[in-house]
Amino acid sequence: MSDRTKGIARVALPADARLDTLAVREGLPPSAWGENSEALFLTSSFVHPDAATAAARFANEEEAFVYSRFSNPTVTMMERRLAALEGTTGCIATASGMAAIMLLVMGLLKAGDHVICSRSVFGSTIKLLQGEFGKFGVQTTFVSQTEVGEWQAALQPNTKLLFAETPSNPLTEVCDIAALAEIAHGAGAVLAVDNCFCSPALQRPAEYGADYIIHSGTKYLDGQGRVIAGAICGPADQIEQKFVPVMRSAGMSLSPFNAWVVLKGLETLSIRMREQSARALQLAQWLEAQPQVERVYYPGLPSHPQHALAMRQQGGSGGAVVSFIVRGEGAAAGRVNAFAVIDHTQICSITANLGDTKTTITHPASTSHGRLSEEQRLAAGITQGMIRVAVGLDDLEDLKADLHRGLRGLATI
Ligand SMILES: *Cc1c(COP(=O)(O)O)cnc(C)c1O
C-alpha cells in the first residue's frame, strides 16, 4: 500500500489486529454491495464525476483509482495484505517475480552503479543483472551466499544495492540477513532480499534490516500453482518515489485477476507454510536415514551448515524445500540413479516449479541449472545425483513410498 492509495479508505479493524487476522482481512472496505469475499475489479479504467475531479486525480492532487496500469482496487488489496504480512508500510505488485526484480533495479539504479549479488540466486536473476542490466551499464559482482567477508570485500564507491535470496535453490544455503544489511547500510547502499522460499509466514527480512523484500507470488503466496505474480515490499514513501513512477511508464503491472488469486492464497499462507515445512522436516529426516541417500540439504536438520542461523532467521522452520543426493559413482551413475528415483514416482509432479500444494520433484542439473556448464554446476555444488523436492500437502507416508519406489532399487554404497 504505497502513498498513492493513502487517501483510499482502509478496512475497519482494531489497530492491534494480529497477523493471522490481517492475512484474511487486510485490504479495502467492501463495495456498496457489502460483499464478504473481496471483489475482483476487472476494469482497465475508472470514471470520474466531472472533468475537474478527473484533472485533480490525474495531477495526483486527489487519491483515487484512475487506470489499472497505475493501481486497481483488487491489486491494492493484495499489496496491503502482503505489506501487513511482511511488516512493511508499502508494497507494489508486479506482473511476475522477475518483473519485481526488474522494477527494483530500474527504480534504484542508473548506468555506472554497482550491485553485489549472491552467486546462488535464481538463475534468471543472474541473467537479468549480468546480461540485461549489464547492457545498460549496471555492473554486478557475484559473491558467496554464506561468506559475509566476500560481500564486504566486493564493496565499491559506486555500490548501491546488495541482493540476496535465502534459502537458496536447490542447496538451501542460508545467508545472514542482518549481517548483509549492516554491510549495505555502512556503505550507503540498500539490501534487497528475495523471500520466495520462506515467505513472510516464516521469515520477515525487514525485521533483520532488509530495505526491500522481493516476491515471486507465483510460488507460496498463491500456493496452488495457478498464476504468475510478483511484488516489492518496503517503506511506503520509497515505493511511492522510486517505483510507482517507473510502473506508470514501464507498465509491469499485475493483472487484477492474478492479484485476486494471490489475495486468496495469502489467507492460507501461514497454515500452508507451517504444515508443508513440518512435512518437509519429516521427509528430510527420513531421507537422511536411507542407505541409498548420500547427503540431504535441509536447513531444519542439525547437519545443515547454517542450521542455527536458519532456525533463528526463519522462525524455527526449515521451509518446505528438501534437496538430496543419491549414491552413485561418478556423474553418469548419479544422473541415472537420480532419473530412476524421479521416474519411479507416481505422485510427485515432475516440474521445476515450487510452492504448490502438489509436491514437485526436479533434477536441477538438467532443468533449472541445465544451462550451466558441468564445471559451473560443480562449483555451485549441484551434482548429477541431486534431486530437489518441494513438499506440498500430499500425505507424508505416500511421499515416502513414492521416493522409496525408486530408491530401493539403487545400490547402497
Ligand atoms: C520463481 C522465482 C523467481 C521468479 O519469479 P517468477 O514469478 O517466475 O517471475 C524469483 N526468485 C525466486 C527465488 C524464484 O523461485
Side-chain angles (χ1 to χ4, degrees):
M1 117 256 12
S2 75
D3 282 351
R4 85 204 117 117
T5 58
K6 195 169 54 184
I8 292 167
R10 305 200 67 83
V11 186
L13 288 173
D16 60 353
R18 293 177 177 79
L19 221 60
D20 282 357
T21 306
L22 295 174
V24 294
R25 295 187 183 274
E26 180 61 288
L28 288 173
S31 77
W33 312 116
E35 67 280 358
N36 188 39
S37 175
E38 292 79 4
L40 170 50
F41 290 91
L42 284 181
T43 179
S44 48
S45 72
F46 300 82
V47 294
H48 313 286
D50 50 58
T53 307
R57 289 174 177 179
F58 270 84
N60 272 339
E61 289 158 13
E62 179 185 320
E63 273 125 0
F65 294 104
V66 171
Y67 189 60
S68 288
R69 171 153 38 81
F70 315 164
S71 61
N72 169 284
T74 311
V75 177
T76 298
M77 287 192 259
M78 190 216 104
E79 291 169 337
R80 287 182 172 186
R81 198 168 282 183
L82 182 57
L85 295 182
E86 280 292 2
T88 58
T89 51
C91 172
I92 185 164
T94 56
S96 67
M98 291 321 300
I101 301 173
M102 178 173 72
L103 177 60
L104 179 86
V105 177
M106 286 180 77
L108 294 180
L109 307 183
K110 59 180 184 327
D113 286 342
H114 177 243
V115 181
I116 305 174
C117 180
S118 161
R119 211 174 275 131
S120 309
V121 296
F122 192 62
S124 297
T125 306
I126 293 179
K127 291 213 171 291
L128 180 66
L129 287 171
Q130 198 170 36
E132 307 311 326
F133 283 108
K135 272 191 324 209
F136 296 106
V138 172
Q139 187 212 342
T140 302
T141 304
F142 293 94
V143 295
S144 158
Q145 170 84 351
T146 52
E147 295 302 317
V148 174
E150 280 194 31
W151 295 71
Q152 182 78 46
L155 284 173
Q156 299 179 8
N158 57 343
T159 303
K160 296 283 165 55
L161 170 67
L162 273 62
F163 190 99
E165 174 188 320
T166 183
S168 70
N169 177 28
L171 290 170
T172 71
E173 288 179 315
V174 174
C175 65
D176 187 336
I177 299 172
L180 297 183
E182 205 177 306
I183 293 173
H185 299 154
V190 294
L191 172 67
V193 174
D194 184 330
N195 198 24
C196 180
F197 264 52
C198 277
S199 92
L202 304 182
Q203 169 174 279
R204 311 207 310 154
E207 289 174 359
Y208 298 94
D211 301 280
Y212 299 105
I213 296 103
I214 299 293
H215 274 292
S216 166
T218 316
K219 313 294 168 51
Y220 293 103
L221 303 189
D222 165 28
Q224 290 165 68
R226 299 167 295 196
V227 297
I228 302 284
I232 304 174
C233 294
D237 61 333
Q238 296 301 302
I239 289 198
E240 176 67 18
Q241 288 162 29
K242 302 206 156 89
F243 304 123
V244 168
V246 180
M247 172 73 78
R248 282 183 80 139
S249 36
M252 60 288 270
S253 327
L254 182 61
S255 99
F257 181 80
N258 289 3
W260 184 81
V261 171
V262 173
L263 181 76
K264 295 281 120 187
L266 291 178
E267 295 181 6
T268 54
L269 175 68
S270 165
I271 287 179
R272 280 186 284 107
M273 284 312 288
R274 269 183 267 150
E275 187 52 39
Q276 289 176 227
S277 302
R279 289 177 200 201
L281 173 61
Q282 287 184 280
L283 191 72
Q285 288 166 336
W286 177 81
L287 281 167
E288 227 175 19
Q290 301 309 302
Q292 303 88 351
V293 172
E294 190 176 300
R295 183 167 173 192
V296 181
Y297 297 84
Y298 183 67
L301 292 174
S303 60
H304 189 281
Q306 296 97 36
H307 175 64
L309 169 65
M311 291 301 95
R312 235 179 18 249
Q313 205 166 255
Q314 301 172 194
S317 172
V321 176
V322 182
S323 293
F324 62 100
I325 296 181
V326 292
R327 291 195 191 282
E329 271 313 310
R335 185 179 175 110
V336 168
N337 289 351
F339 276 26
V341 171
I342 292 170
D343 290 344
H344 275 88
T345 61
Q346 295 169 5
I347 293 170
C348 292
S349 310
I350 304 175
T351 172
N353 194 27
L354 64 105
D356 202 315
T357 48
K358 295 181 173 69
T359 302
T360 64
I361 190 163
T362 182
H363 181 248
S366 61
T367 59
S368 55
H369 295 71
R371 285 188 288 178
L372 301 178
S373 70
E374 184 68 5
E375 269 170 359
Q376 286 173 310
R377 264 195 300 273
L378 289 178
I382 298 160
T383 65
Q384 293 289 340
M386 176 173 277
I387 293 172
R388 190 199 74 191
V389 178
V391 179
L393 290 174
D394 298 287
D395 185 281
L396 182 65
E397 295 308 316
D398 285 343
L399 288 181
K400 288 181 192 168
D402 217 30
L403 294 174
H404 192 245
R405 259 188 288 279
L407 282 175
R408 72 184 166 207
L410 306 183
T412 55
I413 43 161

